[in-house]
Amino acid sequence: MRFRCPFCTNLSISHLIDLTKQEFESKVFPRTAYFRHHESFEHLEQSASNGCEVCQLVIDAFKATPWDEALWVGTRQGRGSTNIDLTMCARAKGLKVSDVKMSIDSSELWAGQSLEDVRIWDTLMVLVGPNYDGRDLDDEDEDVKWAMENWVPVLPLTLTASRGNGSSIEGTQVGRFQLEQSLASPANVNIARSWLGDCRSTHSSCLPNQSPRLPTRVIDVGIGPHFTTARIFVPQRKLEADYIALSHCWGGNIEAKLTSKTIVAWQDSLPYEELPANFKDAITITRELGIRYLWIDSLCILQDSAHDWEVESAKMGRVYGDSALTISAVAARSSKAGILVPSTEASHATDPVILLPLNQPQAQDSLHPEIKVQVEHRDLEEEDLHTLHLHGPLNRRGWCLQESILSPRVLFYGAKQIYWKCPNGYASADGLYRHARGPPDLYREISVQLHAQRLLPCSSSQTLPQSPIEPLSALVPLSPRNKTQLLLDYYALVKEYTSRQLTFGSDKFPAFSGLARRLSPTLGQYAAGIFLSDWRRGLLWYSEGRYAPHAPPHPYRAPSWSWAITDLSVLFDSSTDEQPELIPHPLQANLLKSKITHWRSDDQFGRLETGSLVIEGFTAPLVRSRQMANVRFGWLAYFDEPDSLGAFSDQGIENDNRKNVSGLCTLLPMKTLNDDGERQLGPYTMLAIPSMNGIEAVGYHDFQIDFDAFEEEEYRLLLIHADDMSVAETENRNPKARCLIIRPVEDGVEGAYERVGVAFLDPKFSRIEDWERRVVTLF
């Protein structure tokens, strides 16, 4: 240990933890129970100059942290590139009062959590100057003014410990585990092996240690150091063995791929040197985990055979669902990027220092006096699984959603560390639960159902389904509430899926088919992306962006009423989330018939040839206008596509206002002229006016309709469901009538329409009972 000033000599983890017993609230610096350090920032700088390594670390961290990013918790610039005049150091030096204080916290906790919630101490909090937490001043403007002149936010430093030499105080871990510089390190291999081994041997809620039937083709990577080649293996019988699947981003064309010309030669030996880096690394990982077989899409499906692709893509759900685990190359932008890539940046922004956890070696948890905790500058760009899910390149790929969720175990390779997911929970190499938070948490009910047969006790006398896609509802019955939650999870899943990218629009259903196939036994008949047991809610999707343009009619992708018809992200009516189910209403629409024709008769979840619904319901005429207006009225319509003239092409809209033009419209009861030329409220006709926020708002009764701005095209509203007004009022909700916007099509079928949007209005004032009841066929 190098030189320490008297303050840093007396600084210990155990003393900081003792102070939390007096006062602790996560993410809030304590008002009184803190460690008093130097009396000013100037003294802190002087101590660093005198050689105190802890003070130097704090000074370096203040210099490396930009002021604006510390205030708003943004993303730090590259190390060494920060303008010193714009850093927290410059701000701290300018404070009138700049005493230095320290406390301890846990990065895993949300703001405001209590001491009982702490599982790990991994954050050393440093505050210079007054303690401002927004509670001292009554006036908000004065708050901001005072803070900008007198305050520097808390600087977090990270506490780490080696995995094999960790420390705990009073049963609570101190320091997150230190990360390896290379993802391919022996330490990371051992971590992955231990995760897999523990899951297989101790997790009663996870996949039993039974080998599944191998897919049609796999890569035989061999076992042991003597095995230096890999080959394509085609089982000639129903061979059962463990295998690993790879989930990755192609990122462009892959040169080395399986074709009818290469399959024979590759059964002898794969051209290893020609394989992209991701594939080589996946082979290495598979061998190190002691598993012989590996499945990679482009090496196990014939890439020049449409028939083979159709057959094998329909098995994707089973391939990932039966795998011993899935390697997820979650940070690799392409197949050439590599999975086991060493970090290119320095491991620390500043030289770390060591703090002894305890004041007294003989304290209760001090089993080894030499145990040490390292303090280092915190990277504001810290990687975690949740961030990789939101922003990683792999998670922008449509195919990878079902690969991640269907896989019972996933070993994620980020840029800085590895992560684990199984039905039992999550893990990360640094040991933080927060860093291992993953996307399936959002779909808990779906995850339970997808892995239901694995969650059953092994000693159960019940007979398990023979197929991994066979229904489990008889063994794991769903309550009505759970079934509704499962449906809501499904719509959240569709929203996530539609926000991702597909190279080919024709993959819209195939890339989602594994999930749909596994959920169908529980949720019922599946039709072009919706479950007919909840068809009303399934039709009520709309665009999250400007419009939801429909895919070209050729080649055929989906019916107009399916969310798969558009390449944009879609939302579903969020107001239905508040209701256990859509309560039947006498005015609601009825589904009379559904007809779906698939490319392959034995695949009810893949590509379609045609799809239609026959619906009986109340309809009303709808007029679409191109008139510019901002009318204060609470009814809304969302059109999938611009109007027939190209959305306001003749309206002379200024550029500043044009950005407000979207598929969102205000829906109004139509004002018509009676025989005497006076305006009156028309009970049947609705008017859709584009929502324009850039112009002055007017009330409904003051709004002057421009009849010349009407579109000539015919539209109608088709009521799908209406809330019971008495129930809505009892539950303190605004009642809502939910409609499709439909347009007639020339299809040789009487009453043929296509969906072009959705609309939401108040059933109390829309006089739906006076609308015309019709039977329509939606294509």
Side-chain angles (χ1 to χ4, degrees), residues 58 118 202 207 298 420 452 473 552 556 583 659 703 709 741 751:
V58 174
V118 176
T202 66
L207 184 66
S298 59
W420 174 267
S473 53
Y556 185 87
I583 300 173
K659 64 184 179 182
F703 173 58
I741 303 174

Side-chain angles (χ1 to χ4, degrees), residues 126-346:
V126 182
L127 177 64
V128 174
N131 182 6
Y132 169 72
D133 56 20
R135 299 179 295 185
D136 297 319
L137 301 176
D138 295 330
D139 185 87
E140 184 176 349
D141 292 336
E142 287 297 319
D143 264 9
V144 174
K145 180 180 179 182
W146 182 92
M148 294 303 293
E149 294 177 353
N150 302 283
W151 174 68
V152 172
V154 173
L155 175 75
L157 300 176
T158 296
L159 304 176
T160 67
S162 63
R163 179 174 287 270
N165 197 25
S167 174
S168 67
I169 296 179
E170 298 179 0
T172 302
Q173 181 179 332
V174 177
R176 64 178 69 171
F177 295 132
Q178 294 164 1
L179 297 177
E180 294 289 317
Q181 187 74 11
S182 171
L183 294 176
S185 70
N188 276 326
V189 172
N190 289 332
I191 292 170
R193 285 175 180 168
S194 67
W195 284 339
L196 178 59
D198 289 346
C199 180
R200 283 178 150 176
S201 61
T202 66
H203 294 176
S204 60
S205 60
C206 292
L207 184 66
N209 198 12
Q210 298 175 350
S211 297
R213 185 189 308 170
L214 285 176
T216 305
R217 306 177 192 95
V218 288
I219 303 162
D220 183 355
V221 304
I223 295 294
H226 65 282
F227 213 104
T228 58
T229 61
R231 66 188 183 96
I232 298 297
F233 176 59
V234 183
Q236 297 302 312
R237 51 190 174 85
K238 298 178 180 179
L239 181 64
E240 294 181 349
D242 287 340
Y243 67 92
I244 287 176
L246 174 65
S247 179
H248 69 110
C249 181
W250 281 43
N253 185 46
I254 295 176
E255 296 295 333
K257 52 194 175 186
L258 189 70
T259 67
S260 55
K261 296 180 180 179
T262 61
I263 186 171
V264 174
W266 285 11
Q267 289 182 66
D268 291 329
S269 177
L270 279 172
Y272 185 82
E273 294 304 323
E274 298 176 17
L275 298 180
N278 283 5
F279 297 2
K280 294 178 181 177
D281 287 345
I283 290 173
T284 297
I285 295 167
T286 302
R287 284 175 176 165
E288 289 175 335
L289 291 178
I291 295 178
R292 181 162 186 168
Y293 299 109
L294 170 66
W295 189 92
I296 300 176
D297 52 4
S298 59
L299 296 183
C300 297
I301 300 176
L302 292 173
Q303 300 299 303
D304 60 349
S305 170
H307 173 73
D308 194 63
W309 187 92
E310 289 287 342
V311 172
E312 294 302 315
S313 66
K315 301 176 183 177
M316 287 280 201
R318 191 169 192 166
V319 167
Y320 286 93
D322 281 357
S323 64
L325 69 80
T326 293
I327 297 170
S328 179
V330 70
R333 297 186 176 277
S334 72
S335 61
K336 300 176 182 178
I339 302 173
L340 303 174
V341 179
S343 176
T344 56
E345 61 181 15

